[in-house]
Amino acid sequence: MKKTLKDIDVKNKKVLVRVDYNVPLDANQNITNDKRIAATLPTIQYLLEQDAAIILMAHLGRPKGKAVPEMSLKPVAARLSELIGKPVKFVEGDCISDQAKKTAADLKSGEILLLENLRFYAAEEGKNAAGEKDKAAMDAFAKELASMGEVFVQDAFGTVHRAHASTAGIVKHVKDAAAGFLVEKELKFLGEALDKPVRPFLAILGGAKVSDKINVIENLLNKVDSIIIGGAMAYTFLKSQSVSIGASLVEDDKLDLAAELLKKAKEKGVEFLLPVDHVIADKVDFANKAVPAGAAVKVTVDEAIPEGFMGVDVGPESIERFAKAVKEAKTIVWNGPLGIFEIDQFSKGTVEIAKLAAQSTEQGATSVVGGGDSVSAVKKAGVDKKISHISTGGGASLEFLEGKELPGIAALPEKK
């Protein structure tokens, strides 16, 4: 068990906090969604109550080791100030400049400083100016960051799967470190779902590619009672069983692997649920996320898809079949939509399953949703407030489900 915020002494201390403020901006540098900023408020509020001086560290976009003014965190400092109801200091241009260090040194209890975009330095991602891997450069940068505070709090779950200076490297250069409230919540829900699930335990996996989820499926086969597979990845599994999939998206180089995973599921007694019917279309405008005029859209009679048509959603019989597993489940982990849910006409499967997951949660099940598309899907269904936990880290939650070690978590000290 890792140390969490209440396990360390932060009273009147300078506390470095890694946050995930990689928020979407429009062309005029206006923040279009501030949920990631709002998610860090409980940790910041607690530190303010402890009279800590708070130095926040974050990245925005992919500036690739160069100062890119359009990727400055300045708009984030302004929005955080609005949300927290007090000034947030900010030094533009450079997170470890003399001015940034002086501002950090002068910071008093109850004050907040947000440092400039960490990724303006290539060393943050463990590289040198030439873009080559350079552990020494990363360590030196981590040391510079650490010199501004006394203790470190990791509250950026969206970046803990990266072995970067501000996520893992900084820990050895501070007096103490712990997980913030946001990271603590992620570890609780994801960890308990995988290690201590109330059964039946159901995993719902969707998305385009089997290759993106191979390790997740392999890890979950040792833990779950049943798996629902939807989205384009289902067509690779169906084709591996010699089912006709028409013009549907498929990974032909993963057919043997799909067949192997189905065999493993059978050996382990895991129920492996694939679509038994589909919504299909002969044309889809992926660029504009629309159904072109004149496109033929219909439902198949079974799992086979005729030539010239592609699967775009799971069909009504599949929804009925999946619904039984969702209603019976006591632990549900979901990553990836079951169809092209961005197009309303093809979102029914995803939306119906989201509503059923919410109903199961209301009846006592624990539901954990991770991955950007899955999160968008439960919001589209209007049930995001009814899900037990929505993960803030797409890549991190996926790697957690794979059973991988997350460097930003592994670096934190254990509770004594």
Side-chain angles (χ1 to χ4, degrees):
M1 185 71 94
K2 296 295 180 181
K3 274 189 184 180
T4 56
L5 187 46
K6 290 188 178 176
D7 296 322
I8 63 172
D9 178 18
V10 293
K11 197 153 185 68
N12 294 309
K13 286 197 164 69
K14 281 211 170 107
V15 182
L16 290 151
V17 188
R18 180 56 160 104
V19 287
D20 181 8
Y21 287 167
N22 189 21
V23 295
L25 300 173
D26 66 17
N28 299 313
Q29 263 46 62
N30 296 311
I31 295 165
T32 56
N33 186 328
D34 64 6
K35 280 198 163 43
R36 285 182 176 176
I37 306 171
T40 65
L41 296 183
T43 291
I44 294 171
Q45 205 65 59
Y46 174 80
L47 292 171
L48 289 172
E49 286 162 13
Q50 298 296 308
D51 295 316
I54 306 164
I55 301 159
L56 302 168
M57 306 176 292
H59 77 276
L60 178 61
R62 295 183 176 174
K64 298 185 178 173
K66 292 182 173 62
V68 179
E70 297 76 34
M71 294 182 195
S72 171
L73 283 165
K74 190 176 182 181
V76 176
R79 180 61 61 89
L80 175 61
S81 178
E82 288 169 17
L83 292 173
I84 203 86
K86 64 183 295 162
V88 173
K89 295 175 188 286
F90 183 74
V91 178
E92 222 168 323
D94 190 330
C95 59
I96 54 169
S97 67
D98 290 345
Q99 184 58 46
K101 286 179 179 172
K102 184 181 187 311
T103 307
D106 294 343
L107 209 62
K108 295 179 178 65
S109 292
E111 291 185 335
I112 304 168
L113 165 65
L114 172 62
L115 297 177
E116 182 59 282
N117 194 336
L118 297 165
R119 290 192 186 172
F120 284 180
Y121 277 86
E124 159 63 5
E125 296 181 85
K127 296 170 185 171
N128 59 24
E132 302 154 336
K133 282 197 174 179
D134 189 334
K135 206 167 175 221
M138 183 172 82
D139 193 55
F141 183 63
K143 204 170 178 179
E144 292 252 36
L145 293 171
S147 71
M148 290 187 242
E150 297 164 85
V151 296
F152 171 71
V153 173
Q154 174 58 268
D155 214 29
F157 189 71
T159 63
V160 292
H161 58 310
R162 308 288 186 204
H164 289 171
S166 68
T167 57
I170 194 169
V171 176
K172 64 183 175 187
H173 299 296
V174 291
K175 290 174 186 166
D176 210 348
F181 293 145
L182 180 64
V183 165
E184 182 183 4
K185 190 181 176 195
E186 293 275 7
L187 295 178
K188 178 186 182 295
F189 276 99
L190 286 165
E192 285 180 6
L194 290 188
D195 300 331
K196 294 183 280 184
V198 179
R199 297 189 180 277
F201 179 11
L202 166 70
I204 305 169
L205 299 173
K209 296 179 176 178
V210 177
S211 52
D212 291 342
K213 306 272 166 80
I214 294 166
N215 296 334
V216 176
I217 296 168
E218 288 196 320
N219 190 41
L220 290 178
L221 282 178
N222 300 312
K223 299 173 184 290
V224 301
D225 300 295
S226 49
I227 291 183
I228 289 171
I229 299 284
M233 61 192 281
Y235 310 126
T236 301
F237 281 100
L238 290 169
K239 189 172 180 181
S240 78
Q241 302 301 290
S242 303
V243 175
S244 166
I245 58 158
S248 303
L249 288 172
V250 66
E251 289 177 283
D252 283 316
D253 61 331
K254 295 290 182 286
L255 294 174
D256 290 346
L257 177 76
E260 185 62 32
L261 289 169
L262 286 165
K263 186 175 162 219
K264 273 187 191 173
K266 197 172 181 182
E267 286 165 1
K268 291 175 186 289
V270 173
E271 187 181 26
F272 207 100
L273 298 164
L274 289 165
V276 291
D277 63 343
H278 317 268
V279 177
I280 58 172
D282 62 349
K283 291 188 200 79
V284 178
D285 183 351
F286 287 101
N288 296 305
K289 295 176 182 170
V291 185
V297 178
K298 52 188 181 179
V299 177
T300 63
V301 293
D302 56 23
E303 70 264 40
I305 297 172
E307 285 304 315
F309 280 83
M310 67 175 77
V312 291
D313 193 11
V314 295
E317 274 190 56
S318 300
I319 293 171
E320 214 171 291
R321 190 168 181 240
F322 296 166
K324 185 174 179 291
V326 178
K327 284 174 184 171
E328 289 171 358
K330 293 294 175 214
T331 303
I332 301 164
V333 170
W334 185 1
N335 188 293
L338 304 185
I340 310 173
F341 79 102
E342 304 94 333
I343 300 173
D344 288 345
Q345 212 172 325
F346 307 145
S347 67
K348 190 176 179 187
T350 302
V351 167
E352 287 299 313
I353 295 304
K355 287 177 179 173
L356 288 163
Q359 281 171 26
S360 286
T361 308
E362 286 178 321
Q363 285 156 18
T366 298
S367 53
V368 181
V369 175
D373 285 342
S374 322
V375 175
S376 301
V378 294
K379 283 179 183 164
K380 184 165 189 164
V383 296
D384 49 307
K385 300 285 189 292
K386 296 177 181 176
I387 299 296
S388 306
H389 178 64
I390 293 180
S391 180
T392 55
S397 62
L398 203 58
E399 291 196 16
F400 198 103
L401 293 177
E402 288 176 18
K404 281 187 182 175
E405 183 179 82
L406 305 176
I409 302 299
L412 296 174
E414 301 286 332
K415 280 189 190 187
K416 289 199 171 77

PDB file of all heavy atoms in Angstrom, residues 9-15 47-54 107-110 150-151:
ATOM      1  N   ASP A   9       3.405  14.584   6.528  1.00  0.00           N
ATOM      2  CA  ASP A   9       3.261  15.886   7.174  1.00  0.00           C
ATOM      3  C   ASP A   9       3.464  16.990   6.136  1.00  0.00           C
ATOM      4  O   ASP A   9       4.561  17.148   5.590  1.00  0.00           O
ATOM      5  CB  ASP A   9       4.299  16.009   8.301  1.00  0.00           C
ATOM      6  CG  ASP A   9       4.238  17.368   8.982  1.00  0.00           C
ATOM      7  OD1 ASP A   9       3.206  18.060   8.840  1.00  0.00           O
ATOM      8  OD2 ASP A   9       5.223  17.752   9.642  1.00  0.00           O
ATOM      9  N   VAL A  10       2.408  17.722   5.842  1.00  0.00           N
ATOM     10  CA  VAL A  10       2.505  18.810   4.848  1.00  0.00           C
ATOM     11  C   VAL A  10       2.272  20.179   5.494  1.00  0.00           C
ATOM     12  O   VAL A  10       2.329  21.198   4.813  1.00  0.00           O
ATOM     13  CB  VAL A  10       1.494  18.607   3.693  1.00  0.00           C
ATOM     14  CG1 VAL A  10       1.853  17.387   2.865  1.00  0.00           C
ATOM     15  CG2 VAL A  10       0.058  18.491   4.217  1.00  0.00           C
ATOM     16  N   LYS A  11       2.032  20.183   6.804  1.00  0.00           N
ATOM     17  CA  LYS A  11       1.691  21.446   7.471  1.00  0.00           C
ATOM     18  C   LYS A  11       2.832  22.454   7.364  1.00  0.00           C
ATOM     19  O   LYS A  11       3.972  22.160   7.684  1.00  0.00           O
ATOM     20  CB  LYS A  11       1.354  21.187   8.944  1.00  0.00           C
ATOM     21  CG  LYS A  11       0.600  22.347   9.565  1.00  0.00           C
ATOM     22  CD  LYS A  11      -0.287  21.899  10.709  1.00  0.00           C
ATOM     23  CE  LYS A  11      -1.120  23.050  11.242  1.00  0.00           C
ATOM     24  NZ  LYS A  11      -2.126  23.535  10.307  1.00  0.00           N
ATOM     25  N   ASN A  12       2.502  23.623   6.843  1.00  0.00           N
ATOM     26  CA  ASN A  12       3.466  24.731   6.665  1.00  0.00           C
ATOM     27  C   ASN A  12       4.664  24.362   5.787  1.00  0.00           C
ATOM     28  O   ASN A  12       5.705  25.001   5.863  1.00  0.00           O
ATOM     29  CB  ASN A  12       3.961  25.240   8.030  1.00  0.00           C
ATOM     30  CG  ASN A  12       2.833  25.877   8.815  1.00  0.00           C
ATOM     31  OD1 ASN A  12       2.129  26.742   8.303  1.00  0.00           O
ATOM     32  ND2 ASN A  12       2.633  25.420  10.038  1.00  0.00           N
ATOM     33  N   LYS A  13       4.503  23.327   4.968  1.00  0.00           N
ATOM     34  CA  LYS A  13       5.611  22.912   4.095  1.00  0.00           C
ATOM     35  C   LYS A  13       5.378  23.393   2.666  1.00  0.00           C
ATOM     36  O   LYS A  13       4.250  23.713   2.276  1.00  0.00           O
ATOM     37  CB  LYS A  13       5.747  21.392   4.113  1.00  0.00           C
ATOM     38  CG  LYS A  13       6.363  20.846   5.403  1.00  0.00           C
ATOM     39  CD  LYS A  13       6.832  19.420   5.176  1.00  0.00           C
ATOM     40  CE  LYS A  13       7.801  18.967   6.269  1.00  0.00           C
ATOM     41  NZ  LYS A  13       7.188  18.792   7.563  1.00  0.00           N
ATOM     42  N   LYS A  14       6.490  23.425   1.897  1.00  0.00           N
ATOM     43  CA  LYS A  14       6.371  23.689   0.457  1.00  0.00           C
ATOM     44  C   LYS A  14       6.126  22.351  -0.214  1.00  0.00           C
ATOM     45  O   LYS A  14       6.966  21.445  -0.162  1.00  0.00           O
ATOM     46  CB  LYS A  14       7.670  24.311  -0.065  1.00  0.00           C
ATOM     47  CG  LYS A  14       7.746  25.794   0.266  1.00  0.00           C
ATOM     48  CD  LYS A  14       8.505  26.572  -0.765  1.00  0.00           C
ATOM     49  CE  LYS A  14       8.311  28.052  -0.473  1.00  0.00           C
ATOM     50  NZ  LYS A  14       9.463  28.692   0.083  1.00  0.00           N
ATOM     51  N   VAL A  15       4.959  22.226  -0.845  1.00  0.00           N
ATOM     52  CA  VAL A  15       4.560  20.936  -1.410  1.00  0.00           C
ATOM     53  C   VAL A  15       4.494  21.014  -2.934  1.00  0.00           C
ATOM     54  O   VAL A  15       3.769  21.826  -3.505  1.00  0.00           O
ATOM     55  CB  VAL A  15       3.179  20.505  -0.853  1.00  0.00           C
ATOM     56  CG1 VAL A  15       2.797  19.133  -1.403  1.00  0.00           C
ATOM     57  CG2 VAL A  15       3.195  20.487   0.670  1.00  0.00           C
ATOM     58  N   LEU A  47      -4.460  20.816   1.094  1.00  0.00           N
ATOM     59  CA  LEU A  47      -3.137  21.422   1.327  1.00  0.00           C
ATOM     60  C   LEU A  47      -3.282  22.857   1.844  1.00  0.00           C
ATOM     61  O   LEU A  47      -2.509  23.293   2.711  1.00  0.00           O
ATOM     62  CB  LEU A  47      -2.301  21.382   0.043  1.00  0.00           C
ATOM     63  CG  LEU A  47      -1.862  19.986  -0.410  1.00  0.00           C
ATOM     64  CD1 LEU A  47      -1.247  20.031  -1.798  1.00  0.00           C
ATOM     65  CD2 LEU A  47      -0.866  19.370   0.582  1.00  0.00           C
ATOM     66  N   LEU A  48      -4.267  23.587   1.326  1.00  0.00           N
ATOM     67  CA  LEU A  48      -4.513  24.947   1.812  1.00  0.00           C
ATOM     68  C   LEU A  48      -4.943  24.917   3.283  1.00  0.00           C
ATOM     69  O   LEU A  48      -4.506  25.749   4.090  1.00  0.00           O
ATOM     70  CB  LEU A  48      -5.595  25.633   0.970  1.00  0.00           C
ATOM     71  CG  LEU A  48      -5.202  26.020  -0.472  1.00  0.00           C
ATOM     72  CD1 LEU A  48      -6.424  26.511  -1.232  1.00  0.00           C
ATOM     73  CD2 LEU A  48      -4.094  27.074  -0.486  1.00  0.00           C
ATOM     74  N   GLU A  49      -5.767  23.939   3.636  1.00  0.00           N
ATOM     75  CA  GLU A  49      -6.204  23.799   5.040  1.00  0.00           C
ATOM     76  C   GLU A  49      -5.032  23.478   5.958  1.00  0.00           C
ATOM     77  O   GLU A  49      -5.062  23.797   7.147  1.00  0.00           O
ATOM     78  CB  GLU A  49      -7.263  22.685   5.147  1.00  0.00           C
ATOM     79  CG  GLU A  49      -8.627  23.077   4.595  1.00  0.00           C
ATOM     80  CD  GLU A  49      -9.505  21.869   4.306  1.00  0.00           C
ATOM     81  OE1 GLU A  49      -9.175  20.747   4.746  1.00  0.00           O
ATOM     82  OE2 GLU A  49     -10.535  22.043   3.607  1.00  0.00           O
ATOM     83  N   GLN A  50      -3.999  22.856   5.396  1.00  0.00           N
ATOM     84  CA  GLN A  50      -2.802  22.514   6.173  1.00  0.00           C
ATOM     85  C   GLN A  50      -1.758  23.641   6.145  1.00  0.00           C
ATOM     86  O   GLN A  50      -0.624  23.465   6.579  1.00  0.00           O
ATOM     87  CB  GLN A  50      -2.166  21.220   5.620  1.00  0.00           C
ATOM     88  CG  GLN A  50      -3.058  19.995   5.703  1.00  0.00           C
ATOM     89  CD  GLN A  50      -3.381  19.604   7.140  1.00  0.00           C
ATOM     90  OE1 GLN A  50      -2.486  19.460   7.965  1.00  0.00           O
ATOM     91  NE2 GLN A  50      -4.662  19.467   7.438  1.00  0.00           N
ATOM     92  N   ASP A  51      -2.152  24.794   5.591  1.00  0.00           N
ATOM     93  CA  ASP A  51      -1.246  25.958   5.479  1.00  0.00           C
ATOM     94  C   ASP A  51       0.019  25.645   4.688  1.00  0.00           C
ATOM     95  O   ASP A  51       1.095  26.194   4.967  1.00  0.00           O
ATOM     96  CB  ASP A  51      -0.872  26.505   6.877  1.00  0.00           C
ATOM     97  CG  ASP A  51      -2.090  27.065   7.588  1.00  0.00           C
ATOM     98  OD1 ASP A  51      -2.877  27.774   6.932  1.00  0.00           O
ATOM     99  OD2 ASP A  51      -2.272  26.753   8.775  1.00  0.00           O
ATOM    100  N   ALA A  52      -0.102  24.741   3.707  1.00  0.00           N
ATOM    101  CA  ALA A  52       1.040  24.435   2.843  1.00  0.00           C
ATOM    102  C   ALA A  52       1.182  25.530   1.778  1.00  0.00           C
ATOM    103  O   ALA A  52       0.219  26.224   1.445  1.00  0.00           O
ATOM    104  CB  ALA A  52       0.834  23.087   2.174  1.00  0.00           C
ATOM    105  N   ALA A  53       2.392  25.695   1.265  1.00  0.00           N
ATOM    106  CA  ALA A  53       2.638  26.512   0.073  1.00  0.00           C
ATOM    107  C   ALA A  53       2.666  25.520  -1.081  1.00  0.00           C
ATOM    108  O   ALA A  53       3.421  24.537  -1.045  1.00  0.00           O
ATOM    109  CB  ALA A  53       3.956  27.250   0.195  1.00  0.00           C
ATOM    110  N   ILE A  54       1.839  25.742  -2.099  1.00  0.00           N
ATOM    111  CA  ILE A  54       1.605  24.718  -3.134  1.00  0.00           C
ATOM    112  C   ILE A  54       2.261  25.097  -4.454  1.00  0.00           C
ATOM    113  O   ILE A  54       1.984  26.170  -5.014  1.00  0.00           O
ATOM    114  CB  ILE A  54       0.088  24.515  -3.348  1.00  0.00           C
ATOM    115  CG1 ILE A  54      -0.603  24.191  -2.014  1.00  0.00           C
ATOM    116  CG2 ILE A  54      -0.180  23.425  -4.371  1.00  0.00           C
ATOM    117  CD1 ILE A  54      -2.118  24.348  -2.048  1.00  0.00           C
ATOM    118  N   LEU A 107       7.283  31.885  -1.920  1.00  0.00           N
ATOM    119  CA  LEU A 107       5.893  31.457  -1.720  1.00  0.00           C
ATOM    120  C   LEU A 107       5.592  31.250  -0.233  1.00  0.00           C
ATOM    121  O   LEU A 107       6.344  30.591   0.473  1.00  0.00           O
ATOM    122  CB  LEU A 107       5.658  30.150  -2.493  1.00  0.00           C
ATOM    123  CG  LEU A 107       4.240  29.870  -2.998  1.00  0.00           C
ATOM    124  CD1 LEU A 107       3.776  30.926  -3.998  1.00  0.00           C
ATOM    125  CD2 LEU A 107       4.178  28.483  -3.630  1.00  0.00           C
ATOM    126  N   LYS A 108       4.488  31.832   0.209  1.00  0.00           N
ATOM    127  CA  LYS A 108       4.119  31.733   1.630  1.00  0.00           C
ATOM    128  C   LYS A 108       3.026  30.676   1.813  1.00  0.00           C
ATOM    129  O   LYS A 108       2.366  30.265   0.854  1.00  0.00           O
ATOM    130  CB  LYS A 108       3.605  33.088   2.135  1.00  0.00           C
ATOM    131  CG  LYS A 108       4.664  34.176   2.130  1.00  0.00           C
ATOM    132  CD  LYS A 108       4.087  35.500   2.607  1.00  0.00           C
ATOM    133  CE  LYS A 108       5.163  36.581   2.654  1.00  0.00           C
ATOM    134  NZ  LYS A 108       5.685  36.915   1.318  1.00  0.00           N
ATOM    135  N   SER A 109       2.825  30.270   3.052  1.00  0.00           N
ATOM    136  CA  SER A 109       1.768  29.310   3.372  1.00  0.00           C
ATOM    137  C   SER A 109       0.433  29.815   2.833  1.00  0.00           C
ATOM    138  O   SER A 109       0.112  30.998   2.967  1.00  0.00           O
ATOM    139  CB  SER A 109       1.653  29.129   4.887  1.00  0.00           C
ATOM    140  OG  SER A 109       2.806  28.488   5.381  1.00  0.00           O
ATOM    141  N   GLY A 110      -0.321  28.903   2.206  1.00  0.00           N
ATOM    142  CA  GLY A 110      -1.628  29.267   1.677  1.00  0.00           C
ATOM    143  C   GLY A 110      -1.580  29.879   0.289  1.00  0.00           C
ATOM    144  O   GLY A 110      -2.623  30.230  -0.267  1.00  0.00           O
ATOM    145  N   GLU A 150       9.647  20.731  -0.565  1.00  0.00           N
ATOM    146  CA  GLU A 150      10.146  19.783   0.445  1.00  0.00           C
ATOM    147  C   GLU A 150       9.561  18.391   0.251  1.00  0.00           C
ATOM    148  O   GLU A 150      10.264  17.395   0.362  1.00  0.00           O
ATOM    149  CB  GLU A 150       9.782  20.296   1.843  1.00  0.00           C
ATOM    150  CG  GLU A 150      10.442  21.620   2.197  1.00  0.00           C
ATOM    151  CD  GLU A 150       9.778  22.271   3.394  1.00  0.00           C
ATOM    152  OE1 GLU A 150      10.158  21.928   4.535  1.00  0.00           O
ATOM    153  OE2 GLU A 150       8.875  23.110   3.187  1.00  0.00           O
ATOM    154  N   VAL A 151       8.244  18.333  -0.013  1.00  0.00           N
ATOM    155  CA  VAL A 151       7.596  17.035  -0.217  1.00  0.00           C
ATOM    156  C   VAL A 151       6.884  17.027  -1.568  1.00  0.00           C
ATOM    157  O   VAL A 151       6.616  18.080  -2.153  1.00  0.00           O
ATOM    158  CB  VAL A 151       6.593  16.692   0.918  1.00  0.00           C
ATOM    159  CG1 VAL A 151       7.311  16.543   2.247  1.00  0.00           C
ATOM    160  CG2 VAL A 151       5.496  17.729   1.020  1.00  0.00           C
TER     161      VAL A 151
END
